[in-house]
Amino acid sequence: MAWALWGCSPWLVLLCACAWGHPKPLDQREDVRNCSISPPYLPVTAVNTTAQLTALRQQMHTQNLSAYIIPDTDAHMSEYISKYDQRRAWMTGFTGSAGIAVVTMGKAALWTDSRYWTQAERQMDCNWELHKEVGTTPIVTWLLAEIPVGGHVGFDPFLFSIDSWESYDAALRESDRELVSITINLVDLVWGSERPAVPSEPIYALQEAFTGSTWQEKVSDIRSQMQKRHEAPTAVLLSALDETACEYGYVDAGLFNLRGSDIPYNPFFYSYTLLTDSSIRLFANKSRFNSEALQYLNSGCTGSMCVQLEDYSQVRDSVQAYTSGDVRIWIGTSYTSYGLYEVIPEEKLVADAYSPVMITKAVKNSKEQTLLRASHVRDAVAVIRYLVWLEKNVPKGTVDEFSGAEQLEKFRGEEEFFSGSSFETISASGLNAALAHYSPTKELHRKLSSDEMYLLDSGGQYWDGTTDITRTVHWGTPSAFQKEVYTRVLIGNIDLSRLVFPAATSGRMVEAFARRALWDVGLNYGHGTGHGIGNFLCVHEWPVGFQSNNIAMAKGMFTSIEPGYYQDGEFGIRIEDVVLVVEAQTKYPGTYLTFEVVSLVPYDQNLIDVSLLSPEQLQYLNRYYQTIREKVGPELQRRQLSEELSWLQRHTEPLSARAAPAASWAPLMTVSTLAILGWSV
């Protein structure tokens, strides 16, 4: 999945399609709303927000607030949030996944990035200003212009990370305004009975066959880390939902091998954990634990290994009460909300960027590695079945981006241990593929054509692993430029995948290997190169990856590698594999690492210009194809998928080197130059 802050909504795709030839930059286009006339012109999709704004301002007046900030997250800083937590969407009408709203007594404003500008214009009424910027600075600048000196800016501390609070608080204090923590969310008071119900599906234990360690072993390991820490913490506070859920994962899902369905695409449930040197306190909705789950947690337990279930809403009070003793609480600041941080005295705090659970779960043990590999074999079967289905049906003109995504979901649903998609499928044809994060809807989509590129970025949640894979295909005759760029993206994938590097090297130090083949000709891509991935947990699992705030690579980590290229208004290419960090065999002694690819779907040979590959790259590619045959072929054969097996054999035939005709380079360079001149990161 494109590890990026950019992408697109269907609204933006619609606009791009209408402004085909030479569209203006998005920030120079006029707002599709016209609020200067009476009555104002609004798209039919705009939502009337007058009632909720009036009610919110009444609550603000009661609290003596000049402004109120409404973020787009939940109390656990989750990537995806449930409908229960979509406060900003309900207040503004704007349903995009990124954006922060601020309401004063006289104005209301939304800040979002370029993916969502058109969508916001089409969904918000004239009560709202749209600001085409992101970050704390533009919001604070606007606040200083709109509220008086001495004004109070309210916020829900459970929806602010520690870093966010610090940035707002410092900027406002310098200008004689005050940031005020209000633990009762004002939007919730206004939303009232219309608010979707809190998720209530049962919480269940993951079967032992799908876990790498028992939860008791994990608890013992974390306590051991507490004892070794020189600050001698007496407790670890876990806030991220995968610390308990996951294999070491989000809090309750990870630490306890428990799962739920509170968050879209992630098998998590709302929870916190306070793990002390003598007790285990799990804060969740007690009514959701059936007798089987309760027995799983406490069967035969004694003393410090018994789990005390406490009400989810009591976590703040319980943490505050715990700090009254001679204690020190270890937290990961990246996923702990200010709502918990503010009740822990500074002298009783042990803070790292990531909690010890988050760091520990980043490295999978041998059983977890085996489980994740197995999930990728079955996932490859589903993706191959889909590619075979596309080859037969796209020429008939009967497949569109949305129906294709549905068909892939159907194929994955027939795989053993499948539990849903790991994210919204990116199924993008032609110009839509140039938008790195585009997903079709039932209402807005394009037909798939044999004459255009098709980019598929998708993944599944299985009891034994989470998958994420991207393949780009072309069923017709690609242009020379398309083949060159695809091959250069493939080279970047290969070069990083086969790289040998010293142990403890950070991902950001080697990320450029995925870009070098594109850089050589003046091309690039504007998103990250990869992200960690979990075992039936997050498809984006921190803190593994290739960005500056990721931790160093270590044996046993899983990450994606996903270079790409996007030609605005024409096509997009991305090739993504999930890889395992393994020890490298080197000529001389030393601790070196490399990657083992666990994604097992062939690349499109129709798009590969073999003449651009070095002998080493070609050898690597043919070895990879042989691995696919050996691992996926028997599974296709076992299930009597003869058509898919024949397809696999054809698409993994060894490639042989051939020289590029000298005459072909002149037009190729011309096309490349035009592309360079038109490229903007």
Side-chain angles (χ1 to χ4, degrees):
M1 183 179 185
W3 193 228
L5 288 178
W6 59 287
C8 189
S9 73
W11 299 108
L12 182 51
V13 175
L14 183 63
L15 183 66
C16 290
C18 293
W20 175 252
H22 299 282
K24 293 180 181 178
L26 283 172
D27 57 353
Q28 295 179 19
R29 293 195 183 105
E30 293 182 1
D31 195 322
V32 299
R33 304 171 296 173
N34 189 343
C35 297
S36 63
I37 60 176
S38 182
Y41 167 75
L42 291 171
V44 294
T45 47
V47 176
N48 188 332
T49 61
T50 300
Q52 49 261 54
L53 281 169
T54 300
L56 178 62
R57 286 173 174 139
Q58 290 172 350
Q59 293 292 339
M60 291 165 56
H61 178 74
T62 301
Q63 298 284 345
N64 190 31
L65 298 178
S66 303
Y68 190 67
I69 303 175
I70 308 167
D72 55 3
T73 188
D74 64 12
H76 305 276
M77 310 296 117
S78 302
E79 179 180 7
Y80 301 106
I81 61 175
S82 73
K83 292 182 179 179
Y84 174 78
D85 282 312
Q86 292 177 9
R87 299 174 178 90
R88 190 225 60 225
W90 182 76
M91 279 300 306
T92 65
F94 165 62
T95 59
S97 63
I100 296 177
V102 180
V103 177
T104 68
M105 299 306 290
K107 289 186 178 181
L110 174 85
W111 285 259
T112 190
D113 63 73
S114 59
R115 290 176 294 171
Y116 299 111
W117 293 343
T118 300
Q119 181 178 350
E121 292 168 2
R122 291 179 178 273
Q123 291 185 319
M124 296 194 305
D125 64 10
C126 287
N127 286 311
W128 291 90
E129 299 176 359
L130 174 61
H131 292 266
K132 299 177 178 181
E133 302 167 287
V134 292
T136 303
T137 300
I139 297 175
V140 169
T141 300
W142 184 85
L143 280 168
L144 297 181
E146 295 297 329
I147 64 174
V149 171
H152 295 165
V153 179
F155 74 105
D156 181 342
F158 286 98
L159 302 183
F160 268 55
S161 68
I162 297 168
D163 287 345
S164 292
W165 169 79
E166 288 177 340
S167 59
Y168 279 101
D169 184 63
L172 290 169
R173 270 192 293 107
E174 288 175 0
S175 303
D176 295 323
R177 278 82 165 176
E178 183 180 357
L179 191 62
V180 180
S181 170
I182 302 173
T183 57
I184 299 175
N185 190 285
L186 301 189
V187 175
D188 293 351
L189 294 179
V190 174
W191 210 346
S193 60
E194 293 182 29
R195 188 183 184 191
V198 62
S200 59
E201 290 79 6
I203 294 166
Y204 61 96
L206 197 58
Q207 297 176 27
E208 187 174 340
F210 302 108
T211 63
S213 307
T214 68
W215 70 261
Q216 291 91 343
E217 291 169 334
K218 296 175 182 179
V219 166
S220 297
D221 178 58
I222 297 303
R223 282 177 170 158
S224 176
Q225 293 187 46
M226 291 164 58
Q227 292 171 1
K228 295 174 183 176
R229 181 89 186 209
H230 71 274
E231 297 97 336
T234 59
V236 174
L237 177 61
L238 304 175
S239 298
L241 293 181
D242 65 341
E243 288 178 308
T244 32
C246 67
E247 265 305 282
Y248 245 106
Y250 281 90
V251 183
D252 310 305
L255 186 61
F256 299 116
N257 295 333
L258 295 171
R259 297 295 190 274
S261 55
D262 297 2
I263 305 296
Y265 306 115
N266 298 145
F268 306 147
F269 59 95
Y270 291 123
S271 55
Y272 297 94
T273 295
L274 184 64
L275 173 63
T276 78
D277 47 14
S278 60
S279 66
I280 308 168
R281 301 164 71 178
L282 173 57
F283 299 87
N285 184 340
K286 299 179 185 179
S287 66
R288 298 175 62 187
F289 290 80
N290 59 26
S291 57
E292 182 181 349
L294 292 172
Q295 183 179 18
Y296 164 80
L297 285 176
N298 283 325
S299 176
C301 74
T302 57
S304 64
M305 293 304 293
C306 291
V307 178
Q308 305 167 29
L309 275 179
E310 300 189 27
D311 190 76
Y312 175 81
S313 64
Q314 296 302 307
V315 62
R316 178 181 163 105
D317 291 341
S318 294
V319 170
Q320 189 168 21
Y322 179 75
T323 63
S324 64
D326 181 17
V327 299
R328 282 160 299 284
I329 301 178
W330 192 359
I331 67 167
T333 58
S334 296
Y335 288 92
T336 302
S337 72
Y338 181 72
L340 296 178
Y341 174 81
E342 70 175 336
V343 300
I344 305 174
E346 185 176 353
E347 69 274 11
K348 298 186 178 185
L349 192 67
V350 178
D352 287 327
Y354 304 105
S355 77
V357 168
M358 195 73 77
I359 296 295
T360 303
K361 76 178 176 65
V363 176
K364 317 304 183 194
N365 63 31
S366 58
K367 183 179 178 182
E368 291 164 341
Q369 293 174 27
T370 299
L371 289 167
L372 213 151
R373 282 192 184 98
S375 70
H376 277 80
V377 172
R378 296 193 310 280
D379 196 68
V381 171
V383 176
I384 288 169
R385 291 182 68 192
Y386 178 57
L387 293 174
V388 172
W389 181 84
L390 287 175
E391 281 192 8
K392 292 191 297 185
N393 289 283
V394 168
K396 300 176 185 177
T398 58
V399 185
D400 61 55
E401 296 165 331
F402 187 75
S403 66
E406 287 188 316
Q407 183 65 36
L408 176 57
E409 176 91 0
K410 176 179 178 294
F411 285 137
R412 277 202 171 102
E414 295 172 7
E415 294 302 317
E416 195 173 18
F417 311 137
F418 181 70
S419 186
S421 296
S422 56
F423 59 94
E424 186 176 19
T425 296
I426 297 170
S427 172
S429 177
L431 64 100
N432 285 349
L435 304 161
H437 232 240
Y438 161 85
S439 291
T441 68
K442 192 172 184 178
E443 296 76 25
L444 289 171
H445 52 255
R446 297 180 79 243
K447 279 282 182 71
L448 270 60
S449 167
S450 298
D451 299 323
E452 292 185 317
M453 291 273 208
Y454 174 60
L455 188 155
L456 175 73
D457 186 347
S458 67
Q461 290 284 12
Y462 302 87
W463 293 348
D464 50 352
T466 301
T467 68
D468 183 4
I469 185 170
T470 307
R471 291 294 182 264
T472 306
V473 298
H474 195 303
W475 299 284
T477 304
S479 69
F481 178 57
Q482 288 174 330
K483 289 190 68 170
E484 183 197 4
V485 176
Y486 179 93
T487 307
R488 290 186 178 279
V489 171
L490 177 60
I491 289 171
N493 183 295
I494 290 173
D495 284 353
L496 185 51
S497 297
R498 63 189 288 267
L499 183 69
V500 175
F501 53 93
T505 298
S506 66
R508 66 184 177 85
M509 296 296 292
V510 300
E511 191 255 9
F513 282 88
R515 299 179 185 269
R516 185 173 61 179
L518 289 166
W519 286 354
D520 282 346
V521 292
L523 304 178
N524 202 357
Y525 54 93
H527 57 73
T529 293
H531 54 83
I533 192 164
N535 277 69
F536 192 29
L537 284 172
C538 286
V539 72
H540 291 153
E541 185 176 88
W542 285 86
V544 178
F546 296 94
Q547 301 187 76
S548 59
N549 52 351
N550 290 136
I551 60 176
M553 292 289 177
K555 178 184 174 182
M557 291 179 173
F558 282 89
T559 181
S560 71
I561 292 177
E562 48 181 301
Y565 174 76
Y566 309 89
Q567 183 73 8
D568 187 32
E570 295 185 29
F571 65 88
I573 296 165
R574 188 160 60 253
I575 300 173
E576 176 185 18
D577 293 309
V578 172
V579 299
L580 169 64
V581 182
V582 297
E583 285 187 13
Q585 301 301 313
T586 55
K587 180 178 180 180
Y588 299 107
T591 306
Y592 285 78
L593 303 173
T594 188
F595 299 109
E596 172 196 330
V597 179
V598 299
S599 300
L600 296 167
V601 177
Y603 312 121
D604 186 3
Q605 295 192 11
N606 188 39
L607 282 164
I608 299 175
D609 183 349
V610 179
S611 68
L612 295 177
L613 300 176
S614 70
E616 294 79 11
Q617 292 160 351
L618 185 60
Q619 182 183 44
Y620 175 92
L621 182 57
N622 286 332
R623 281 202 309 266
Y624 174 59
Y625 278 177
Q626 182 61 31
T627 300
I628 294 175
R629 285 190 171 203
E630 292 171 356
K631 294 187 176 181
V632 182
E635 182 66 14
L636 294 173
Q637 196 166 26
R638 183 184 68 81
R639 293 169 53 177
Q640 299 181 347
L641 294 170
S642 56
E643 187 177 10
E644 286 78 6
L645 181 59
S646 296
W647 183 95
L648 179 67
Q649 291 169 339
R650 290 196 310 273
H651 286 77
T652 54
E653 287 290 338
L655 297 173
S656 57
R658 63 176 184 270
S664 70
W665 285 103
L668 191 59
M669 290 301 293
T670 301
V671 175
S672 298
T673 302
L674 291 174
I676 295 166
L677 293 174
W679 170 255
S680 175
V681 177

